[in-house]
Amino acid sequence: MVATNIPEEILQAYNLNPHLVKIVPLGAGHINQTFKVTEDSHCYVLQRINKQVFTKPECVAENIRLVANHLAKNFPDYFFLKPVLSVAGHDLEFDRDNHPWRLMPFVENGVTKEALTTEQEAFEAARGFAGLTRRLSTCSLENMKPTIERFHDLTWRVEQFRESIVEAEQSRLETAAEPIALAKQFSFLADEYRALIDSEDLQLRITHNDTKINNILFDREADKALCVIDLDTLMPGYFIYDLGDLIRTCVSPVSEEERDLSKIVFRKNFYDAVVNGYLTEMGNVLSKEELSAVSFSGLMMTYIMALRFLTDYLKGDVYYSVHYDGQNLNRAKNQFTVLQLLYDEVHHGK
Ligand code: GN1
Ligand code: MG
């Protein structure tokens, strides 16, 4: 549910007049609540951070601060959306119920897309996310902390899924029988993941970790990517997380919300565009061993998202926001369809 009222104390903390601002809900995120706030000719994005998901919001703010400082110092022309400071000089403000809020500039000529129509967009988006990680390859990881522990740890996500089966209501187990079978069928991907991580072939880098296609702003008038958004999970990670989530959300012509599964197809040209766009920036940074994990990335990230949606359905929709009954189940079915196609096409050329 979207909060209809933004607490006055929050608006005042940013010197916005509660009686003059115009507020409209924004975006299609599953976790935070986002609003466009306009006062006179000034536009901002105001976000209430989900404190159940981000239990250490200071850690989110600190990571963004460290990254913003590194970029400002080393790449002053790079367009990075950092928070607007409050009157007190903070990049986070807490309301009376202890919900964290932050304000960001609104990018007038920026648009988000839920699904892509051209290969150029896919190339640009991948280049955009990879360009961030490349610029951060010289930034120290020492003070960067995980904002969500084990976020993309597939081994742990499989454990959570197994637990959810034991605890789920019988009716949900029945409606989810098909995706549960698929989750088990693809569990070899979790073994491959474990082996890859244990091999230590992948370098820990600063990654975005939520590179689904609607987390980058495109120029309204051109296919160009302007800047990455949704920086809550900017933290140490492996490149496969970013490349994989891009592949997951770009290969299909429809988004993860699509319920008509016949509309999901695998677009090889979009797959190639994502990989090429990513490697344009990161090709020289990644090691030979990392490059050999490129094709695993899309499988891993599509599987983990299918599992997470399914687990949330089995747990009674406690994590992702849902607007109708069975939405998480439909998202899981959608993602298993993408996974099946990806697996067949990329690995067997079927
Ligand atoms: C969530 O915040 P949003 O909607 O961009 C989730 C991602 C998932 C995504 C699936 C913190 O992202 O990991 O990939 O939903 N973010 C968190 O749509 O769990
Ligand atoms: Mg997010």
Side-chain angles (χ1 to χ4, degrees):
M1 272 314 260
V2 173
T4 41
N5 294 320
I6 295 176
E8 285 202 359
E9 69 266 24
I10 291 299
L11 293 168
Q12 282 156 352
Y14 288 101
N15 204 20
L16 292 163
N17 186 329
H19 306 290
L20 297 181
V21 288
K22 207 179 119 219
I23 296 164
V24 283
L26 200 69
H30 298 334
I31 308 292
N32 295 327
Q33 292 178 13
T34 310
F35 306 89
K36 181 181 176 187
V37 175
T38 311
E39 186 176 325
D40 300 325
S41 55
H42 302 290
C43 278
Y44 304 95
V45 174
L46 182 62
Q47 259 193 328
R48 188 177 99 166
I49 301 172
N50 183 324
K51 65 176 181 179
Q52 271 81 41
V53 171
F54 295 103
T55 52
K56 295 177 286 182
E58 293 84 2
C59 175
V60 173
E62 172 70 358
N63 283 358
I64 297 174
R65 218 176 295 138
L66 289 167
V67 163
N69 289 343
H70 174 87
L71 293 169
K73 192 164 152 227
N74 298 287
F75 304 93
D77 297 331
Y78 181 72
F79 184 24
F80 182 73
L81 267 190
K82 55 178 191 179
V84 176
L85 298 185
S86 67
V87 179
H90 303 149
D91 46 15
L92 271 187
E93 286 287 344
F94 291 82
D95 65 22
R96 287 198 185 92
D97 301 322
N98 212 31
H99 290 291
W101 292 77
R102 68 169 160 231
L103 192 71
M104 277 150 312
F106 179 82
V107 181
E108 280 299 340
N109 52 331
V111 282
T112 54
K113 304 188 184 211
E114 298 303 316
L116 297 186
T117 47
T118 72
E119 292 156 49
Q120 180 63 19
E121 291 168 336
F123 181 89
E124 273 294 313
R127 194 162 75 101
F129 282 112
L132 177 65
T133 296
R134 176 178 66 73
R135 286 175 178 84
L136 297 176
S137 54
T138 51
C139 179
S140 165
L141 268 80
E142 200 187 335
N143 297 314
M144 298 280 299
K145 307 250 160 49
T147 62
I148 299 179
E149 301 282 348
R150 295 180 287 185
F151 190 48
H152 291 315
D153 179 344
L154 186 51
T155 312
W156 183 66
R157 295 292 183 184
V158 169
E159 281 167 25
Q160 297 283 297
F161 162 65
R162 296 219 167 105
E163 268 175 45
S164 75
I165 293 189
V166 176
E167 289 158 16
E169 280 176 15
Q170 189 57 30
S171 63
R172 290 205 177 215
L173 284 173
E174 281 163 20
T175 43
E178 207 181 314
I180 289 174
L182 285 166
K184 291 179 180 165
Q185 192 184 313
F186 277 102
S187 68
F188 65 90
L189 291 172
D191 302 332
E192 284 182 33
Y193 171 80
R194 197 67 269 148
L196 180 61
I197 300 304
D198 290 348
S199 73
E200 296 184 9
D201 278 349
L202 303 183
Q203 191 179 319
L204 212 47
R205 304 175 179 282
I206 300 173
T207 45
H208 180 282
N209 294 302
D210 190 4
T211 61
K212 79 169 153 177
I213 196 58
N214 67 5
N215 279 334
I216 192 155
L217 285 185
F218 287 94
D219 191 324
R220 196 178 289 281
E221 266 115 46
D223 275 350
K224 293 269 161 250
L226 292 176
C227 62
V228 305
I229 57 172
D230 199 349
L231 304 172
D232 300 322
T233 51
L234 193 57
M235 60 181 167
Y238 300 111
F239 89 97
I240 52 170
Y241 302 154
D242 282 3
L243 177 58
D245 212 26
L246 277 157
I247 291 173
R248 172 181 86 84
T249 54
C250 291
V251 295
S252 167
V254 289
S255 82
E256 66 195 15
E257 298 298 341
E258 180 59 58
R259 295 153 79 166
D260 180 353
L261 303 183
S262 70
K263 291 189 178 152
I264 300 174
V265 291
F266 175 83
R267 301 183 294 182
K268 176 79 164 76
N269 48 340
F270 281 70
Y271 179 93
D272 291 341
V274 167
V275 173
N276 291 337
Y278 196 87
L279 295 183
T280 298
E281 291 281 346
M282 285 293 289
N284 292 334
V285 179
L286 297 173
S287 67
K288 196 162 77 333
E289 290 76 16
E290 285 179 304
L291 286 170
S292 62
V294 163
S295 60
F296 180 67
S297 69
L299 294 173
M300 185 244 145
M301 289 304 284
T302 311
Y303 182 53
I304 204 170
M305 255 15 119
L307 268 186
R308 288 177 62 195
F309 286 136
L310 179 57
T311 303
D312 199 31
Y313 176 73
L314 293 172
K315 286 191 170 175
D317 306 316
V318 292
Y319 186 85
Y320 293 111
S321 58
V322 288
H323 307 291
Y324 67 89
D325 283 348
Q327 189 166 4
N328 274 319
L329 178 62
N330 285 334
R331 288 167 175 156
K333 287 180 180 171
N334 172 309
Q335 292 297 289
F336 276 117
T337 308
V338 176
L339 177 60
Q340 186 74 61
L341 291 171
L342 195 57
Y343 185 73
D344 289 349
E345 294 283 338
V346 177
H347 293 270
H348 299 285
K350 277 189 191 157

